[in-house]
Amino acid sequence: MDFSYTPEEEAFRMHARRWLEVNAPRDIPDRGFSLPTDPAAIAALRDWQRRLFEAGFLGLSWPVEYGGQGKTIVYSAIMSEEMARVRAPSALNLIGLSMAGPTILEHGTAEQRRRFVPKILSCEEIWCQGFSEPGSGSDLAALTSRAELAGDEFVVNGAKVWTSHGQIADWCMLLVRTEPDQPKHRGLSYLLVDIHSPGVSVRPLRQMTGEEEFNQLFFDDVRVPRANLLGRQGGGWGVALTTLMNERATLSLSIVARFRNTFEDLKTLALRAIAERATPLDPRVIRQTLAQFYIDVESMKYLAYRNFSRLLRGGTPGPEGSISKLLWSELNQRMNEFALAIQGPAAMLVEGSPHAVEEGRWQYGTLRARGNTIEEGTSEIQRNIIAERLLGMPRGS
Ligand SMILES: Cc1cc2nc3c(=O)[nH]c(=O)nc-3n(C[C@H](O)[C@H](O)[C@H](O)COP(=O)(O)OP(=O)(O)OC[C@H]3O[C@@H](n4cnc5c(N)ncnc54)[C@H](O)[C@@H]3O)c2cc1C
């Protein structure tokens, strides 16, 4: 494994750094996957993504003919590091960039790629992922939303749930059952659905953070052109696996850079609390715990590099992404919860109280992090994947 960069890659890093120092918005905090509720803040994020695209910083490893930059994924990694360095907010169309784009590039026809990929990059069309249903999350292949072919259109009926960013999305990666008489994994198809079609309704769900980040989607006789079938009819499971593997692989890369920031912030909080004698914790416990977090973040980094060099050698994201996903999701919960332990009783104070610490940042983080071990597949499911696909253990019953 070679961790050094070529002169061209170093030149790109300096170019990105200079551009970000001038252009990164200072007034929008980096909240990762979470969306602001204020429409003006959404508009500002949309504009931010457009500017990133126009400056040539998005789709770095995607083909030039579809709006990408035709470089290697090393450039995407450099960009993620530089964005984290100045704490720039993520691009708004995160699901489009990390999931829809790579899946359409891999399974789409030339016409589908031309139609969809450039607008994912420019943020003209925002995407969401309609996979989970009320009765099928972990057991995704058991889903019951169905589509029937009528002439040149599929007619879709059913409901999806936990659809992140559905409230701002224009398009949905929709997994539906088209062959009900086939075994469950073989009867699925993957449709690209315009959310604004007649018969689609979006109902936001409020999370314990108080935000409405995900939604229920209802499909009532929604007509989808046959041309929007991605992959072959009945081959949706294979296409969906591409989406899921990309979700775990691409998100883990950018997450490492962001976790270094979280770790540094936690260290700052700890040092200040110790200096001001404002923590009920024994400083020796804080020291031990921070050392362990540091080791965990470093492990995440090397694991991401290993997955990354596999991709560079031409591989596709594989089950190894489950290790990264497990590590970051559980570490994020432990780091946020430890911040509250450092704050002690002050952790209970709400935003705006005279003694509230850092405007409730760690409180928000603690609540939001609970979802980390559920989204993208739960920790139990990741351990099943690791046991079965990496360790060769027999399937559980
Ligand atoms: C913040 C957030 C955002 C999300 N965004 C999206 C999105 O954009 N699009 C989308 O389609 N979905 C999304 N999801 C849904 C997510 O993928 C599912 O919640 C997840 O797959 C779990 O499914 P479930 O909620 O139905 O739980 P269940 O599958 O019912 O699981 C319940 C419990 O049983 C355990 N369990 C289930 N099966 C097994 C097994 N075989 N072995 C061991 N334990 C098992 C699980 O680990 C869990 O603890 C999101 C979820 C969250 C929390």
Side-chain angles (χ1 to χ4, degrees):
M1 203 180 303
D2 181 5
F3 288 137
S4 58
Y5 294 98
T6 64
E8 292 76 24
E9 288 161 355
E10 281 300 349
F12 172 77
R13 182 189 291 284
M14 296 321 293
H15 167 57
R17 187 171 292 181
R18 279 192 295 273
W19 188 87
L20 285 166
E21 272 162 10
V22 175
N23 290 285
R26 308 275 168 214
D27 48 343
I28 316 174
D30 175 25
R31 291 156 53 89
F33 198 63
S34 302
L35 289 181
T37 38
D38 175 14
I42 297 277
L45 281 174
R46 194 186 279 271
D47 180 59
W48 169 230
Q49 176 169 340
R50 185 187 48 76
R51 286 193 291 134
L52 278 168
F53 171 60
E54 285 172 0
F57 292 123
L58 289 184
L60 285 158
S61 61
W62 295 7
V64 175
E65 58 188 309
Y66 305 119
Q69 297 296 319
K71 301 182 193 300
T72 66
I73 53 168
V74 173
Y75 286 78
S76 314
I78 292 174
M79 193 61 198
S80 296
E81 283 179 358
E82 292 303 315
M83 298 257 295
R85 190 175 165 274
V86 292
R87 297 183 184 238
S90 306
L92 178 63
N93 197 7
L94 205 52
I95 297 178
L97 292 167
S98 61
M99 290 181 247
T103 311
I104 295 171
L105 283 172
E106 186 166 336
H107 296 276
T109 60
E111 177 48 33
Q112 287 171 331
R113 293 175 186 172
R114 263 195 305 275
R115 161 65 190 84
F116 292 110
V117 174
K119 290 187 176 180
I120 289 174
L121 290 168
S122 63
C123 207
E124 280 167 85
E125 291 174 346
I126 294 182
W127 283 74
C128 66
Q129 177 199 20
F131 282 16
S132 305
E133 295 186 3
S136 46
S138 301
D139 188 10
L140 182 59
L143 60 85
T144 58
S145 286
R146 61 186 196 285
E148 281 157 31
L149 198 54
D152 257 355
E153 291 178 324
F154 287 98
V155 181
V156 179
N157 282 284
K160 296 286 171 178
V161 72
W162 319 126
T163 317
S164 303
H165 301 190
Q167 74 276 33
I168 58 161
D170 303 292
W171 285 86
C172 180
M173 298 165 261
L174 192 71
L175 201 56
V176 285
R177 187 161 301 286
T178 45
E179 271 72 27
D181 45 346
Q182 289 290 321
K184 63 180 182 180
H185 289 87
R186 289 208 212 119
L188 303 175
S189 295
Y190 196 118
L191 301 180
L192 309 176
V193 178
D194 181 349
I195 286 265
H196 309 296
S197 309
V200 180
S201 34
V202 180
R203 193 178 300 159
L205 293 168
R206 179 158 294 188
Q207 302 160 224
M208 66 173 158
T209 54
E211 294 172 325
E212 292 168 352
E213 181 185 311
F214 49 36
N215 304 264
Q216 282 179 291
L217 297 189
F218 298 95
F219 297 84
D220 189 11
D221 280 338
V222 177
R223 305 189 88 84
V224 179
R226 194 177 187 170
N228 288 7
L229 172 71
L230 191 64
R232 65 176 175 80
Q233 189 172 330
W237 184 249
V239 186
L241 285 183
T242 302
T243 307
L244 294 172
M245 298 295 184
N246 271 290
E247 181 178 23
R248 283 164 205 156
T250 17
L251 291 184
S252 0
L253 253 180
S254 52
I255 277 169
V256 172
R258 212 177 289 126
F259 267 46
R260 285 206 210 115
N261 289 342
T262 308
F263 175 78
E264 286 304 320
D265 293 349
L266 186 59
K267 198 174 89 184
T268 306
L269 175 80
L271 288 172
R272 205 179 53 225
I274 293 170
E276 293 172 2
R277 295 179 188 279
T279 175
L281 294 187
D282 185 325
R284 288 169 298 186
V285 171
I286 296 182
R287 210 166 45 197
Q288 291 283 313
T289 312
L290 284 186
Q292 186 57 51
F293 288 153
Y294 179 74
I295 293 167
D296 292 342
V297 174
E298 287 294 293
S299 314
M300 256 174 58
K301 182 175 80 184
Y302 290 116
L303 194 62
Y305 280 162
R306 197 178 67 174
N307 290 344
F308 189 66
S309 49
R310 188 185 127 106
L311 295 181
L312 269 181
R313 286 196 300 267
T316 47
E320 299 79 9
S322 291
I323 307 178
S324 302
K325 203 282 161 164
L326 254 181
L327 264 178
W328 76 253
S329 57
E330 299 192 350
L331 178 60
N332 199 32
Q333 291 178 351
R334 284 188 283 123
M335 289 206 289
N336 276 285
E337 285 165 17
F338 191 65
L340 300 194
I342 292 174
Q343 292 175 1
M348 289 182 284
L349 297 175
V350 293
E351 214 174 309
S353 305
H355 301 291
V357 189
E358 295 185 18
E359 292 297 321
R361 176 237 161 116
W362 299 102
Q363 284 69 10
Y364 172 83
T366 300
L367 294 177
R368 180 58 187 83
R370 300 313 303 168
N372 292 160
T373 48
I374 304 172
E375 62 198 323
E376 294 177 39
T378 66
S379 288
E380 290 77 17
I381 294 304
Q382 307 302 340
R383 289 193 172 89
N384 281 346
I385 294 171
I386 293 165
E388 287 164 22
R389 300 194 47 198
L390 294 176
L391 306 182
M393 303 281 288
R395 281 183 68 84
S397 54

